[in-house]
Amino acid sequence: MIDSHCHLDSDQFDSDRDAVIERALAAGVEKMVAIGTGNGPPDLEAGIRLADRYDCFYATAGVHPHDAAKAATATFDELARLLTNPKVVAAGEIGLDYHYDFSPREVQRDVFIEQMRIAAAAQKPIVIHTREAWADTIALLHQHWTGSGIMHCFAGGPEEARQALDLGFYLSFGGIVTFPKALDIQQAARIAPADRILVETDAPYLAPVPKRGKRNEPAFVIETARKLAELRGETLEHIEAATTENFRRLCLRYTQ
Ligand SMILES: [Zn+2]
Ligand SMILES: [Zn+2]
């Protein structure tokens, strides 16, 4: 399987990162995507450092909406350069977060738009983080993006799923889809086409049931895949094969 989104650079893994990676590989997670947003600009290489050190990682590079206010002209030049690295499979995570508002919304939108421009020039897909900002996110994608990408930790219902799918996006399901009260997300997981689904952990955050409340790690992505299989009436093997093939189709076109 492929964990399409994790933050293994987090200091929560400093004491046992190698063991966490071993457990992922032992659980059948052969590849993980190291999201490279780290602690924000000027450092955009948190994901690349992991991919350089371990063969089992692909990386992304980008400015998280939380860090948008830290972005400068040099940040965008650096991002353009990093996106040419063959280990960098996408720009991200980028988007809008109106829940925390760690950066002013107008700045978040400008930085999101600029990063879409850079990703388009590099012909790389984008990984979207959107929280309490769905309408603005979709509107900006319509205006500024013609490629494909990933709705990371997809948390909408069937209507939002339809909007994202119409834009050509893939829905990446994380631990939330396993939560008993996530009925809308579960319905979206039932109706999503098999060739547009991905799975992720977003480790160390949002561990799936039955690990809920613990530090999340890539090995747990299997629990999310299991839930998708149950919701869709498919086998776990089918979900594993579909999500792996989907990731390869979307993200490895230009690198392999
Ligand atoms: Zn995110
Ligand atoms: Zn993330």
Side-chain angles (χ1 to χ4, degrees):
M1 312 203 65
I2 296 178
D3 180 352
S4 75
H5 191 116
C6 61
H7 297 267
L8 254 60
D9 61 297
S10 162
D11 58 13
Q12 292 193 44
F13 296 108
D14 281 352
S15 62
D16 65 344
R17 188 169 290 106
D18 286 342
V20 167
I21 292 166
E22 284 305 315
R23 282 198 291 274
L25 296 172
V29 182
E30 46 178 331
K31 295 283 185 184
M32 296 154 255
V33 180
I35 298 298
T37 46
N39 293 319
D43 177 23
L44 302 179
E45 297 194 54
I48 293 171
R49 281 193 289 275
L50 282 170
D52 280 344
R53 190 159 154 213
Y54 302 95
D55 285 341
C56 55
F57 283 104
Y58 300 114
T60 71
V63 179
H64 194 287
H66 289 341
D67 301 313
K70 296 190 212 166
T73 308
T75 310
F76 300 122
D77 294 342
E78 174 77 348
L79 178 60
R81 188 180 71 77
L82 295 177
L83 289 185
T84 66
N85 182 325
K87 287 177 181 164
V88 175
V89 296
E93 55 191 292
I94 64 175
L96 304 171
D97 192 313
Y98 295 171
H99 177 76
Y100 286 108
D101 280 327
F102 285 152
S103 289
R105 293 181 182 185
E106 199 179 299
V107 176
Q108 291 189 40
R109 289 191 285 268
D110 287 348
V111 170
F112 180 27
I113 291 166
E114 182 63 13
Q115 293 188 96
M116 283 192 272
R117 191 188 64 71
I118 294 165
Q123 296 190 301
K124 297 266 166 106
I126 52 179
V127 178
I128 297 292
H129 170 107
T130 179
R131 189 159 180 200
E132 293 177 26
W134 183 260
D136 277 10
T137 302
I138 292 293
L140 289 180
L141 287 170
H142 272 293
Q143 288 166 34
H144 298 279
W145 186 248
T146 54
S148 190
I150 297 171
M151 287 292 175
H152 127 70
C153 204
F154 179 74
E159 174 57 28
E160 288 79 15
R162 179 50 52 205
Q163 292 173 359
L165 292 165
D166 285 349
L167 274 162
F169 271 70
Y170 289 65
L171 308 180
S172 184
F173 292 94
I176 303 179
V177 77
T178 69
F179 297 176
K181 288 183 181 161
L183 300 178
D184 256 20
I185 304 173
Q186 290 169 1
Q187 188 55 22
R190 283 190 191 95
I191 63 151
D195 62 356
R196 295 286 197 88
I197 55 172
L198 298 168
V199 284
E200 66 170 72
T201 57
D202 205 14
Y205 314 109
L206 291 169
V209 173
K211 314 285 187 184
R212 190 174 182 178
K214 296 172 86 171
R215 182 190 68 174
N216 201 359
E217 60 177 70
F220 299 169
V221 78
I222 208 94
E223 304 297 345
T224 298
R226 223 188 288 283
K227 185 67 184 185
L228 281 190
E230 175 199 316
L231 289 167
R232 296 167 64 85
E234 295 166 352
T235 63
L236 177 60
E237 291 71 26
H238 184 92
I239 297 294
E240 289 179 354
T243 54
T244 300
E245 189 189 324
N246 293 343
F247 178 83
R248 295 208 169 112
R249 185 188 319 116
L250 174 64
C251 289
L252 304 185
R253 267 178 308 181
Y254 303 107
T255 54
Q256 291 187 351

mmCIF file of all heavy atoms in Angstrom, residues 134-175:
data_model
loop_
_atom_site.group_PDB
_atom_site.id
_atom_site.type_symbol
_atom_site.label_atom_id
_atom_site.label_comp_id
_atom_site.label_asym_id
_atom_site.label_seq_id
_atom_site.Cartn_x
_atom_site.Cartn_y
_atom_site.Cartn_z
ATOM 1 N N TRP A 134 -14.103 25.456 1.983
ATOM 2 C CA TRP A 134 -14.374 24.645 0.803
ATOM 3 C C TRP A 134 -14.743 25.495 -0.412
ATOM 4 O O TRP A 134 -14.177 25.310 -1.509
ATOM 5 C CB TRP A 134 -15.477 23.619 1.099
ATOM 6 C CG TRP A 134 -15.720 22.734 -0.063
ATOM 7 C CD1 TRP A 134 -16.735 22.840 -0.980
ATOM 8 C CD2 TRP A 134 -14.919 21.619 -0.483
ATOM 9 N NE1 TRP A 134 -16.609 21.853 -1.931
ATOM 10 C CE2 TRP A 134 -15.514 21.095 -1.647
ATOM 11 C CE3 TRP A 134 -13.750 21.026 0.028
ATOM 12 C CZ2 TRP A 134 -14.974 19.982 -2.322
ATOM 13 C CZ3 TRP A 134 -13.226 19.921 -0.647
ATOM 14 C CH2 TRP A 134 -13.836 19.415 -1.813
ATOM 15 N N ALA A 135 -15.669 26.425 -0.258
ATOM 16 C CA ALA A 135 -16.152 27.190 -1.415
ATOM 17 C C ALA A 135 -15.019 27.994 -2.054
ATOM 18 O O ALA A 135 -14.875 28.010 -3.285
ATOM 19 C CB ALA A 135 -17.296 28.117 -0.994
ATOM 20 N N ASP A 136 -14.204 28.646 -1.230
ATOM 21 C CA ASP A 136 -13.086 29.414 -1.777
ATOM 22 C C ASP A 136 -12.070 28.505 -2.452
ATOM 23 O O ASP A 136 -11.494 28.843 -3.490
ATOM 24 C CB ASP A 136 -12.382 30.220 -0.674
ATOM 25 C CG ASP A 136 -13.094 31.535 -0.383
ATOM 26 O OD1 ASP A 136 -14.219 31.723 -0.899
ATOM 27 O OD2 ASP A 136 -12.537 32.366 0.363
ATOM 28 N N THR A 137 -11.823 27.344 -1.862
ATOM 29 C CA THR A 137 -10.857 26.407 -2.436
ATOM 30 C C THR A 137 -11.307 25.968 -3.827
ATOM 31 O O THR A 137 -10.524 26.002 -4.796
ATOM 32 C CB THR A 137 -10.691 25.170 -1.528
ATOM 33 O OG1 THR A 137 -10.272 25.603 -0.235
ATOM 34 C CG2 THR A 137 -9.663 24.199 -2.097
ATOM 35 N N ILE A 138 -12.562 25.567 -3.936
ATOM 36 C CA ILE A 138 -13.086 25.103 -5.228
ATOM 37 C C ILE A 138 -13.066 26.245 -6.251
ATOM 38 O O ILE A 138 -12.678 26.059 -7.408
ATOM 39 C CB ILE A 138 -14.517 24.539 -5.056
ATOM 40 C CG1 ILE A 138 -14.457 23.239 -4.238
ATOM 41 C CG2 ILE A 138 -15.188 24.300 -6.399
ATOM 42 C CD1 ILE A 138 -13.762 22.077 -4.917
ATOM 43 N N ALA A 139 -13.445 27.446 -5.806
ATOM 44 C CA ALA A 139 -13.469 28.587 -6.734
ATOM 45 C C ALA A 139 -12.064 28.889 -7.256
ATOM 46 O O ALA A 139 -11.870 29.122 -8.457
ATOM 47 C CB ALA A 139 -14.049 29.816 -6.025
ATOM 48 N N LEU A 140 -11.068 28.864 -6.361
ATOM 49 C CA LEU A 140 -9.700 29.161 -6.804
ATOM 50 C C LEU A 140 -9.164 28.062 -7.714
ATOM 51 O O LEU A 140 -8.426 28.338 -8.665
ATOM 52 C CB LEU A 140 -8.778 29.366 -5.600
ATOM 53 C CG LEU A 140 -9.027 30.661 -4.812
ATOM 54 C CD1 LEU A 140 -8.057 30.771 -3.635
ATOM 55 C CD2 LEU A 140 -8.909 31.891 -5.695
ATOM 56 N N LEU A 141 -9.528 26.824 -7.435
ATOM 57 C CA LEU A 141 -9.094 25.733 -8.319
ATOM 58 C C LEU A 141 -9.699 25.920 -9.712
ATOM 59 O O LEU A 141 -9.004 25.754 -10.725
ATOM 60 C CB LEU A 141 -9.495 24.375 -7.744
ATOM 61 C CG LEU A 141 -8.677 23.901 -6.533
ATOM 62 C CD1 LEU A 141 -9.318 22.670 -5.901
ATOM 63 C CD2 LEU A 141 -7.233 23.593 -6.936
ATOM 64 N N HIS A 142 -10.965 26.284 -9.763
ATOM 65 C CA HIS A 142 -11.598 26.516 -11.066
ATOM 66 C C HIS A 142 -10.902 27.626 -11.831
ATOM 67 O O HIS A 142 -10.692 27.541 -13.039
ATOM 68 C CB HIS A 142 -13.079 26.853 -10.887
ATOM 69 C CG HIS A 142 -13.971 25.642 -10.854
ATOM 70 N ND1 HIS A 142 -14.149 24.840 -11.958
ATOM 71 C CD2 HIS A 142 -14.705 25.104 -9.860
ATOM 72 C CE1 HIS A 142 -14.974 23.842 -11.640
ATOM 73 N NE2 HIS A 142 -15.309 23.969 -10.365
ATOM 74 N N GLN A 143 -10.504 28.663 -11.111
ATOM 75 C CA GLN A 143 -9.907 29.825 -11.776
ATOM 76 C C GLN A 143 -8.451 29.622 -12.143
ATOM 77 O O GLN A 143 -7.967 30.192 -13.123
ATOM 78 C CB GLN A 143 -9.989 31.060 -10.862
ATOM 79 C CG GLN A 143 -11.376 31.640 -10.708
ATOM 80 C CD GLN A 143 -11.434 32.630 -9.547
ATOM 81 O OE1 GLN A 143 -10.477 33.338 -9.269
ATOM 82 N NE2 GLN A 143 -12.553 32.643 -8.859
ATOM 83 N N HIS A 144 -7.712 28.835 -11.340
ATOM 84 C CA HIS A 144 -6.252 28.855 -11.469
ATOM 85 C C HIS A 144 -5.612 27.502 -11.723
ATOM 86 O O HIS A 144 -4.379 27.415 -11.765
ATOM 87 C CB HIS A 144 -5.627 29.450 -10.201
ATOM 88 C CG HIS A 144 -6.031 30.875 -9.952
ATOM 89 N ND1 HIS A 144 -5.443 31.944 -10.577
ATOM 90 C CD2 HIS A 144 -7.003 31.389 -9.151
ATOM 91 C CE1 HIS A 144 -6.010 33.070 -10.167
ATOM 92 N NE2 HIS A 144 -6.954 32.767 -9.305
ATOM 93 N N TRP A 145 -6.394 26.438 -11.863
ATOM 94 C CA TRP A 145 -5.771 25.117 -11.955
ATOM 95 C C TRP A 145 -6.443 24.284 -13.029
ATOM 96 O O TRP A 145 -7.674 24.184 -13.046
ATOM 97 C CB TRP A 145 -5.861 24.406 -10.598
ATOM 98 C CG TRP A 145 -5.123 23.099 -10.568
ATOM 99 C CD1 TRP A 145 -5.674 21.847 -10.476
ATOM 100 C CD2 TRP A 145 -3.704 22.911 -10.636
ATOM 101 N NE1 TRP A 145 -4.681 20.900 -10.493
ATOM 102 C CE2 TRP A 145 -3.465 21.523 -10.594
ATOM 103 C CE3 TRP A 145 -2.612 23.788 -10.752
ATOM 104 C CZ2 TRP A 145 -2.175 20.979 -10.650
ATOM 105 C CZ3 TRP A 145 -1.338 23.251 -10.802
ATOM 106 C CH2 TRP A 145 -1.125 21.878 -10.746
ATOM 107 N N THR A 146 -5.646 23.681 -13.895
ATOM 108 C CA THR A 146 -6.227 22.821 -14.929
ATOM 109 C C THR A 146 -5.755 21.381 -14.802
ATOM 110 O O THR A 146 -6.229 20.508 -15.519
ATOM 111 C CB THR A 146 -5.860 23.327 -16.341
ATOM 112 O OG1 THR A 146 -4.444 23.447 -16.418
ATOM 113 C CG2 THR A 146 -6.496 24.667 -16.628
ATOM 114 N N GLY A 147 -4.820 21.114 -13.912
ATOM 115 C CA GLY A 147 -4.298 19.762 -13.771
ATOM 116 C C GLY A 147 -5.092 18.955 -12.761
ATOM 117 O O GLY A 147 -6.240 19.262 -12.447
ATOM 118 N N SER A 148 -4.459 17.915 -12.254
ATOM 119 C CA SER A 148 -5.110 17.062 -11.271
ATOM 120 C C SER A 148 -4.461 17.256 -9.906
ATOM 121 O O SER A 148 -3.570 18.104 -9.740
ATOM 122 C CB SER A 148 -5.011 15.598 -11.712
ATOM 123 O OG SER A 148 -5.827 14.794 -10.891
ATOM 124 N N GLY A 149 -4.912 16.480 -8.944
ATOM 125 C CA GLY A 149 -4.355 16.620 -7.604
ATOM 126 C C GLY A 149 -5.094 15.751 -6.613
ATOM 127 O O GLY A 149 -5.926 14.917 -6.983
ATOM 128 N N ILE A 150 -4.771 15.988 -5.350
ATOM 129 C CA ILE A 150 -5.298 15.166 -4.258
ATOM 130 C C ILE A 150 -6.012 16.060 -3.250
ATOM 131 O O ILE A 150 -5.442 17.055 -2.796
ATOM 132 C CB ILE A 150 -4.135 14.433 -3.538
ATOM 133 C CG1 ILE A 150 -3.433 13.472 -4.497
ATOM 134 C CG2 ILE A 150 -4.657 13.702 -2.289
ATOM 135 C CD1 ILE A 150 -2.147 12.866 -3.928
ATOM 136 N N MET A 151 -7.238 15.695 -2.902
ATOM 137 C CA MET A 151 -7.907 16.320 -1.766
ATOM 138 C C MET A 151 -7.484 15.517 -0.539
ATOM 139 O O MET A 151 -8.016 14.437 -0.277
ATOM 140 C CB MET A 151 -9.425 16.266 -1.917
ATOM 141 C CG MET A 151 -9.953 17.219 -2.943
ATOM 142 S SD MET A 151 -9.729 18.929 -2.411
ATOM 143 C CE MET A 151 -10.316 19.777 -3.879
ATOM 144 N N HIS A 152 -6.499 16.054 0.173
ATOM 145 C CA HIS A 152 -5.919 15.315 1.291
ATOM 146 C C HIS A 152 -6.871 15.318 2.481
ATOM 147 O O HIS A 152 -7.538 16.316 2.742
ATOM 148 C CB HIS A 152 -4.541 15.911 1.605
ATOM 149 C CG HIS A 152 -4.312 16.317 3.015
ATOM 150 N ND1 HIS A 152 -4.180 15.408 4.041
ATOM 151 C CD2 HIS A 152 -4.168 17.533 3.577
ATOM 152 C CE1 HIS A 152 -3.966 16.077 5.170
ATOM 153 N NE2 HIS A 152 -3.965 17.354 4.924
ATOM 154 N N CYS A 153 -6.925 14.170 3.150
ATOM 155 C CA CYS A 153 -7.798 13.989 4.303
ATOM 156 C C CYS A 153 -9.209 14.483 3.970
ATOM 157 O O CYS A 153 -9.776 15.316 4.681
ATOM 158 C CB CYS A 153 -7.238 14.736 5.511
ATOM 159 S SG CYS A 153 -7.815 14.042 7.059
ATOM 160 N N PHE A 154 -9.744 13.943 2.893
ATOM 161 C CA PHE A 154 -11.036 14.424 2.404
ATOM 162 C C PHE A 154 -12.087 14.319 3.506
ATOM 163 O O PHE A 154 -12.278 13.246 4.103
ATOM 164 C CB PHE A 154 -11.481 13.642 1.165
ATOM 165 C CG PHE A 154 -12.814 14.090 0.651
ATOM 166 C CD1 PHE A 154 -12.927 15.302 -0.017
ATOM 167 C CD2 PHE A 154 -13.955 13.343 0.880
ATOM 168 C CE1 PHE A 154 -14.159 15.755 -0.464
ATOM 169 C CE2 PHE A 154 -15.198 13.790 0.439
ATOM 170 C CZ PHE A 154 -15.297 14.990 -0.239
ATOM 171 N N ALA A 155 -12.764 15.433 3.768
ATOM 172 C CA ALA A 155 -13.684 15.474 4.907
ATOM 173 C C ALA A 155 -15.062 15.989 4.511
ATOM 174 O O ALA A 155 -15.834 16.419 5.354
ATOM 175 C CB ALA A 155 -13.096 16.332 6.029
ATOM 176 N N GLY A 156 -15.365 15.952 3.210
ATOM 177 C CA GLY A 156 -16.676 16.400 2.752
ATOM 178 C C GLY A 156 -17.635 15.238 2.596
ATOM 179 O O GLY A 156 -17.302 14.086 2.877
ATOM 180 N N GLY A 157 -18.822 15.569 2.129
ATOM 181 C CA GLY A 157 -19.832 14.556 1.847
ATOM 182 C C GLY A 157 -19.919 14.304 0.352
ATOM 183 O O GLY A 157 -19.037 14.727 -0.410
ATOM 184 N N PRO A 158 -20.994 13.633 -0.089
ATOM 185 C CA PRO A 158 -21.142 13.301 -1.512
ATOM 186 C C PRO A 158 -21.117 14.520 -2.432
ATOM 187 O O PRO A 158 -20.561 14.453 -3.534
ATOM 188 C CB PRO A 158 -22.503 12.599 -1.563
ATOM 189 C CG PRO A 158 -22.696 12.046 -0.190
ATOM 190 C CD PRO A 158 -22.039 13.021 0.734
ATOM 191 N N GLU A 159 -21.706 15.641 -2.012
ATOM 192 C CA GLU A 159 -21.738 16.834 -2.871
ATOM 193 C C GLU A 159 -20.326 17.393 -3.078
ATOM 194 O O GLU A 159 -19.919 17.711 -4.195
ATOM 195 C CB GLU A 159 -22.655 17.897 -2.239
ATOM 196 C CG GLU A 159 -22.662 19.231 -2.953
ATOM 197 C CD GLU A 159 -23.065 19.129 -4.426
ATOM 198 O OE1 GLU A 159 -23.818 18.197 -4.779
ATOM 199 O OE2 GLU A 159 -22.602 19.978 -5.221
ATOM 200 N N GLU A 160 -19.572 17.500 -1.987
ATOM 201 C CA GLU A 160 -18.187 17.987 -2.104
ATOM 202 C C GLU A 160 -17.345 17.000 -2.914
ATOM 203 O O GLU A 160 -16.475 17.401 -3.698
ATOM 204 C CB GLU A 160 -17.575 18.192 -0.718
ATOM 205 C CG GLU A 160 -18.120 19.395 0.046
ATOM 206 C CD GLU A 160 -19.474 19.120 0.688
ATOM 207 O OE1 GLU A 160 -19.866 17.934 0.791
ATOM 208 O OE2 GLU A 160 -20.145 20.103 1.069
ATOM 209 N N ALA A 161 -17.610 15.722 -2.711
ATOM 210 C CA ALA A 161 -16.874 14.707 -3.479
ATOM 211 C C ALA A 161 -17.112 14.917 -4.970
ATOM 212 O O ALA A 161 -16.166 14.889 -5.776
ATOM 213 C CB ALA A 161 -17.306 13.306 -3.054
ATOM 214 N N ARG A 162 -18.364 15.146 -5.326
ATOM 215 C CA ARG A 162 -18.709 15.353 -6.734
ATOM 216 C C ARG A 162 -17.954 16.555 -7.304
ATOM 217 O O ARG A 162 -17.411 16.510 -8.410
ATOM 218 C CB ARG A 162 -20.237 15.530 -6.846
ATOM 219 C CG ARG A 162 -20.803 15.769 -8.216
ATOM 220 C CD ARG A 162 -20.334 14.769 -9.259
ATOM 221 N NE ARG A 162 -20.515 13.380 -8.860
ATOM 222 C CZ ARG A 162 -19.797 12.354 -9.330
ATOM 223 N NH1 ARG A 162 -18.836 12.576 -10.207
ATOM 224 N NH2 ARG A 162 -20.015 11.131 -8.912
ATOM 225 N N GLN A 163 -17.910 17.650 -6.533
ATOM 226 C CA GLN A 163 -17.219 18.856 -7.009
ATOM 227 C C GLN A 163 -15.734 18.584 -7.233
ATOM 228 O O GLN A 163 -15.152 19.022 -8.229
ATOM 229 C CB GLN A 163 -17.400 20.001 -6.007
ATOM 230 C CG GLN A 163 -18.829 20.498 -5.930
ATOM 231 C CD GLN A 163 -19.024 21.509 -4.815
ATOM 232 O OE1 GLN A 163 -18.098 21.835 -4.073
ATOM 233 N NE2 GLN A 163 -20.235 22.005 -4.678
ATOM 234 N N ALA A 164 -15.129 17.877 -6.307
ATOM 235 C CA ALA A 164 -13.697 17.576 -6.431
ATOM 236 C C ALA A 164 -13.443 16.625 -7.603
ATOM 237 O O ALA A 164 -12.495 16.806 -8.369
ATOM 238 C CB ALA A 164 -13.173 16.973 -5.126
ATOM 239 N N LEU A 165 -14.307 15.622 -7.737
ATOM 240 C CA LEU A 165 -14.144 14.654 -8.829
ATOM 241 C C LEU A 165 -14.318 15.345 -10.181
ATOM 242 O O LEU A 165 -13.578 15.068 -11.131
ATOM 243 C CB LEU A 165 -15.154 13.515 -8.671
ATOM 244 C CG LEU A 165 -14.917 12.600 -7.466
ATOM 245 C CD1 LEU A 165 -16.152 11.757 -7.177
ATOM 246 C CD2 LEU A 165 -13.694 11.704 -7.700
ATOM 247 N N ASP A 166 -15.272 16.271 -10.260
ATOM 248 C CA ASP A 166 -15.496 16.998 -11.518
ATOM 249 C C ASP A 166 -14.275 17.819 -11.914
ATOM 250 O O ASP A 166 -14.043 18.071 -13.097
ATOM 251 C CB ASP A 166 -16.719 17.922 -11.403
ATOM 252 C CG ASP A 166 -18.032 17.144 -11.446
ATOM 253 O OD1 ASP A 166 -17.997 15.929 -11.768
ATOM 254 O OD2 ASP A 166 -19.082 17.739 -11.152
ATOM 255 N N LEU A 167 -13.511 18.249 -10.915
ATOM 256 C CA LEU A 167 -12.280 18.998 -11.192
ATOM 257 C C LEU A 167 -11.126 18.070 -11.580
ATOM 258 O O LEU A 167 -10.023 18.539 -11.867
ATOM 259 C CB LEU A 167 -11.865 19.794 -9.947
ATOM 260 C CG LEU A 167 -12.508 21.170 -9.773
ATOM 261 C CD1 LEU A 167 -12.350 21.623 -8.318
ATOM 262 C CD2 LEU A 167 -11.874 22.191 -10.710
ATOM 263 N N GLY A 168 -11.356 16.764 -11.534
ATOM 264 C CA GLY A 168 -10.301 15.812 -11.882
ATOM 265 C C GLY A 168 -9.464 15.377 -10.692
ATOM 266 O O GLY A 168 -8.396 14.788 -10.864
ATOM 267 N N PHE A 169 -9.956 15.679 -9.487
ATOM 268 C CA PHE A 169 -9.166 15.371 -8.287
ATOM 269 C C PHE A 169 -9.416 13.954 -7.768
ATOM 270 O O PHE A 169 -10.443 13.339 -8.038
ATOM 271 C CB PHE A 169 -9.468 16.392 -7.183
ATOM 272 C CG PHE A 169 -8.555 17.590 -7.269
ATOM 273 C CD1 PHE A 169 -8.679 18.498 -8.316
ATOM 274 C CD2 PHE A 169 -7.553 17.787 -6.343
ATOM 275 C CE1 PHE A 169 -7.821 19.582 -8.423
ATOM 276 C CE2 PHE A 169 -6.692 18.857 -6.447
ATOM 277 C CZ PHE A 169 -6.824 19.770 -7.491
ATOM 278 N N TYR A 170 -8.449 13.492 -6.995
ATOM 279 C CA TYR A 170 -8.536 12.228 -6.281
ATOM 280 C C TYR A 170 -8.897 12.533 -4.831
ATOM 281 O O TYR A 170 -8.464 13.555 -4.285
ATOM 282 C CB TYR A 170 -7.185 11.495 -6.320
ATOM 283 C CG TYR A 170 -6.820 10.951 -7.682
ATOM 284 C CD1 TYR A 170 -6.574 11.813 -8.758
ATOM 285 C CD2 TYR A 170 -6.713 9.583 -7.905
ATOM 286 C CE1 TYR A 170 -6.238 11.312 -10.011
ATOM 287 C CE2 TYR A 170 -6.371 9.074 -9.159
ATOM 288 C CZ TYR A 170 -6.133 9.941 -10.206
ATOM 289 O OH TYR A 170 -5.804 9.442 -11.436
ATOM 290 N N LEU A 171 -9.652 11.641 -4.217
ATOM 291 C CA LEU A 171 -10.050 11.816 -2.815
ATOM 292 C C LEU A 171 -9.180 10.911 -1.957
ATOM 293 O O LEU A 171 -9.204 9.690 -2.106
ATOM 294 C CB LEU A 171 -11.523 11.447 -2.620
ATOM 295 C CG LEU A 171 -12.519 12.122 -3.560
ATOM 296 C CD1 LEU A 171 -13.939 11.651 -3.231
ATOM 297 C CD2 LEU A 171 -12.429 13.641 -3.471
ATOM 298 N N SER A 172 -8.398 11.531 -1.070
ATOM 299 C CA SER A 172 -7.559 10.737 -0.176
ATOM 300 C C SER A 172 -8.240 10.648 1.185
ATOM 301 O O SER A 172 -8.455 11.667 1.849
ATOM 302 C CB SER A 172 -6.179 11.379 -0.046
ATOM 303 O OG SER A 172 -5.344 10.560 0.742
ATOM 304 N N PHE A 173 -8.592 9.414 1.570
ATOM 305 C CA PHE A 173 -9.290 9.207 2.827
ATOM 306 C C PHE A 173 -8.302 8.908 3.941
ATOM 307 O O PHE A 173 -7.371 8.111 3.771
ATOM 308 C CB PHE A 173 -10.309 8.074 2.687
ATOM 309 C CG PHE A 173 -11.451 8.440 1.789
ATOM 310 C CD1 PHE A 173 -11.427 8.116 0.440
ATOM 311 C CD2 PHE A 173 -12.533 9.160 2.286
ATOM 312 C CE1 PHE A 173 -12.472 8.486 -0.404
ATOM 313 C CE2 PHE A 173 -13.578 9.535 1.449
ATOM 314 C CZ PHE A 173 -13.547 9.190 0.104
ATOM 315 N N GLY A 174 -8.518 9.577 5.075
ATOM 316 C CA GLY A 174 -7.663 9.385 6.236
ATOM 317 C C GLY A 174 -8.458 8.794 7.385
ATOM 318 O O GLY A 174 -9.581 8.295 7.203
ATOM 319 N N GLY A 175 -7.884 8.871 8.574
ATOM 320 C CA GLY A 175 -8.481 8.241 9.744
ATOM 321 C C GLY A 175 -9.900 8.672 10.048
ATOM 322 O O GLY A 175 -10.680 7.892 10.614
#
